Structure formats: structure tokens, C-alpha cells
């Protein structure tokens, strides 16, 4: 049996995607080795199939995304991210949450019967729109985004969807927005954090300490596997260090209980203990 066909596209940024690309490179490097045992070649092909075929299989078995979400994904992939001002916040198409994670978040909204959702870190708005599609007509989603340019791109996408009117975008430092929301007595049933990794611990603390998170509320935190950096040996990036520290902080916090799911680049679900 042959290994899964390789396709061009965004660079791999999840543990499974990185593993699949690594196995492909190993297979390429061993292709010319004549005396490689047949069982080793068979094991390598099997490993390639397992790693390379997982994400496409998840996509195929997950409820299809809406037309509005498909358009938003296409716009994100076609955008010239390399042409942005080098002094601006670094953004790239790989930051899109995408179909499977978007559907998971949408399911969380429905399962928790959330009516008020907070997103910290909007990017082009895929996850926000996915969650908004599951909100009741009178539901509301507040999205925090630091970069005004990308916030405008998201707003344009929202304007093309019936669910887009449920989303309010707040541009500026997320910490400032959270403080303003807390001062106004706002409370949210579901919070999705997908922003600057060094800020994760502070955002979670703000949710727990100020009453922004409803007593029954659920927090979903993205990128908590961070390309395998928290457990793989070798030098880590600043983001890898931040996520490793955040995961340790959450695991040691007696106020909460949590589960880290191996969805895309890691999704941690957190709620208050008891």
C-alpha cells in the first residue's frame, strides 16, 4: 500500500502535520538504500499512512463547513500575509483555526447552550463565525483583536453571513478590553483564547478573578500542544516556553479542572472545580 499523496499548501504547524512531514523526509532519505529490510520499509509506509492520513480523514468525517466559513477560509489562504508591514503583528495563514476545530467550537457552543461568547484573538474570524453560527438569534459574541487590519478583514467576512450580526469586534490590547468588559459587569458562558501565547496565563487569570467567566462557564484554549514544543527535546521558541509554562500553571491551579485534547495544535478545555 502506498503512502498518502502529498499536497502543497500551508506548512505543517501541528504535531501530527510535523510528524507526517518528518516521516516523508525520512522516506525520501531512505529511498535509495537498497539493503533496507522489507519490514522496515513496511513499518515506515504504515507510519506515513497513519500520520499523513489522519487530518484528511478527520475533515472527511466532520460536518461540512458553511458556505460563509468556506469563503472566509479561502480569503485567508489567498491573502498576501508576506506583504504586510514588517513592523506590524506577525500573522500567517496557518493561524486559521479551520474546519475541524471550527466545528468542534461550534459543537461546544451548542452543548453548553452558550448565549454569550468571548473570543480573545480573532485573526480573520473563522472560529468566531463558526461559534456565532451556533448561537441563538439573540446570542452575542465579543471578539478581541489587536490588529486593526485583520479585524477589518474579519468584519467584511461577517457582513456576508447571517450569523455575522451576532459578533462585535473590539480592537486593541485584549487586557484592556477584558478590563472594560469586567467593569461593565459582562459575563460569558464560553471563552475561546487564541491570542499571544505569553498572555494566556494573564487572560485566564482575568476570567477567573473578575467574574467575566460565568459560574458554569467553559474556557477553550488553542495551541496548547504548540507543535510539540512542550515535550520534545531541543531548544524551544518563546511561544513554546510560554505554552509549556501555561500548561504547568493550569495543571497546578486547584481552582480549575481541565483536559488537553490533541485536536489540531492542542485544545485545552478548562472549567472551575466543583
Amino acid at each position: 500500500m502506498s503512502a498518502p499523496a502529498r499536497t502543497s499548501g500551508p506548512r505543517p504547524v501541528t504535531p501530527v502535520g510535523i510528524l507526517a512531514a518528518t516521516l516523508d523526509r525520512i522516506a525520501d532519505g531512505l529511498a535509495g538504500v537498497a539493503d533496507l529490510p522489507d519490514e522496515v520499509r513496511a513499518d515506515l509506509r504504515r507510519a506515513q499512512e497513519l500520520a499523513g492520513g489522519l487530518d484528511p480523514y478527520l475533515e472527511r468525517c466532520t460536518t461540512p463547513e458553511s458556505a460563509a466559513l468556506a469563503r472566509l477560509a479561502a480569503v485567508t489562504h489567498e491573502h498576501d500575509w508576506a506583504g504586510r508591514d514588517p513592523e506590524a503583528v506577525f500573522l500567517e495563514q496557518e493561524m486559521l483555526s479551520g474546519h475541524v476545530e471550527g466545528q468542534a467550537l461550534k459543537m461546544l457552543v451548542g452543548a453548553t447552550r452558550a448565549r454569550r461568547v468571548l473570543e480573545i484573538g480573532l485573526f480573520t474570524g473563522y472560529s468566531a463565525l463558526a461559534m456565532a453560527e451556533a448561537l441563538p438569534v439573540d446570542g452575542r459574541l465579543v471578539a478581541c483583536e489587536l490588529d486593526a487590519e485583520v479585524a477589518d478583514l474579519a468584519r467584511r467576512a461577517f457582513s456576508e453571513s447571517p450569523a455575522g450580526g451576532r459578533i462585535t469586534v473590539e480592537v486593541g490590547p485584549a487586557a484592556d478590553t477584558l478590563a472594560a468588559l469586567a467593569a461593565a459587569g459582562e459575563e460569558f458562558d464560553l471563552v475561546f483564547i487564541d491570542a499571544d501565547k505569553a498572555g494566556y496565563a494573564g487572560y485566564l487569570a482575568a476570567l477567573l478573578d473578575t467574574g467575566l467567566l460565568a459560574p458554569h462557564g467553559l474556557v477553550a484554549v488553542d495551541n496548547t500542544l504548540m507543535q510539540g514544543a512542550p515535550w520534545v527535546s531541543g531548544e524551544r521558541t518563546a511561544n513554546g516556553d510560554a505554552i509549556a509554562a501555561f500548561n504547568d500553571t493550569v495543571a497546578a491551579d486547584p481552582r480549575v479542572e481541565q483536559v488537553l485534547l490533541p485536536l489540531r495544535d492542542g485544545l485545552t478545555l478548562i472549567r472551575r472545580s466543583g
Side-chain angles (χ1 to χ4, degrees):
M1 185 181 294
S2 61
R6 303 177 200 180
T7 59
S8 60
R11 64 183 178 85
V13 292
T14 69
V16 168
I18 293 170
L19 174 60
T22 301
L23 289 169
D24 284 345
R25 290 194 299 272
I26 292 172
D28 289 343
L30 294 176
V33 179
D35 58 350
L36 191 69
D38 288 344
E39 60 269 25
V40 174
R41 291 190 189 278
D43 284 346
L44 180 56
R45 284 196 299 272
R46 178 66 170 164
Q48 284 182 279
E49 291 166 6
L50 285 169
L54 178 59
D55 283 345
Y57 187 73
L58 295 178
E59 293 272 350
R60 182 163 67 85
C61 293
T62 296
T63 299
E65 61 194 352
S66 67
L69 287 171
R71 286 194 301 271
L72 199 160
V75 168
T76 302
H77 291 313
E78 294 165 2
H79 190 79
D80 179 19
W81 299 107
R84 278 171 53 88
D85 182 347
E87 299 299 319
V89 176
F90 175 74
L91 299 171
E92 58 180 346
Q93 64 170 317
E94 287 83 3
M95 292 177 175
L96 187 80
S97 55
H99 170 209
V100 175
E101 186 172 6
Q103 182 63 20
L105 293 169
K106 190 172 182 177
M107 293 280 280
L108 285 177
V109 173
T112 61
R113 298 184 180 181
R115 303 183 70 85
R116 296 177 64 78
V117 176
L118 174 64
E119 179 171 81
I120 305 174
L122 173 69
F123 190 43
T124 57
Y126 190 100
S127 53
L129 185 55
M131 291 187 287
E133 288 182 346
L135 283 171
V137 175
D138 61 346
R140 179 188 176 205
L141 186 149
V142 178
C144 310
E145 175 53 50
L146 179 63
D147 189 279
E149 178 185 344
V150 78
D152 284 342
L153 194 156
R155 287 191 182 103
R156 289 196 293 273
F158 299 156
S159 69
E160 299 176 2
S161 167
R166 301 168 196 157
I167 304 172
T168 300
V169 180
E170 299 290 347
V171 177
D176 294 346
T177 300
L178 295 183
L181 291 171
E186 299 278 8
E187 187 177 82
F188 297 92
D189 307 308
L190 176 65
V191 181
F192 179 48
I193 303 177
D194 184 16
D196 57 301
K197 311 315 168 192
Y200 273 20
Y203 299 143
L204 181 60
L207 297 173
L208 296 173
D209 296 342
T210 66
L212 281 170
L213 183 67
H216 60 276
L218 180 69
V219 181
V221 187
D222 201 16
N223 301 118
T224 46
L225 292 181
M226 189 43 68
Q227 303 174 27
W231 72 91
V232 173
S233 61
E235 185 176 354
R236 285 200 298 236
T237 64
N239 279 342
D241 282 337
I243 289 298
F246 173 77
N247 290 342
D248 289 343
T249 297
V250 173
D253 191 336
R255 298 175 299 170
V256 300
E257 57 184 25
Q258 69 285 333
V259 58
L260 201 171
L261 304 175
L263 172 63
R264 198 169 178 263
D265 198 25
L267 184 70
T268 297
L269 303 182
I270 304 169
R271 67 178 184 179
R272 289 187 178 88
S273 297

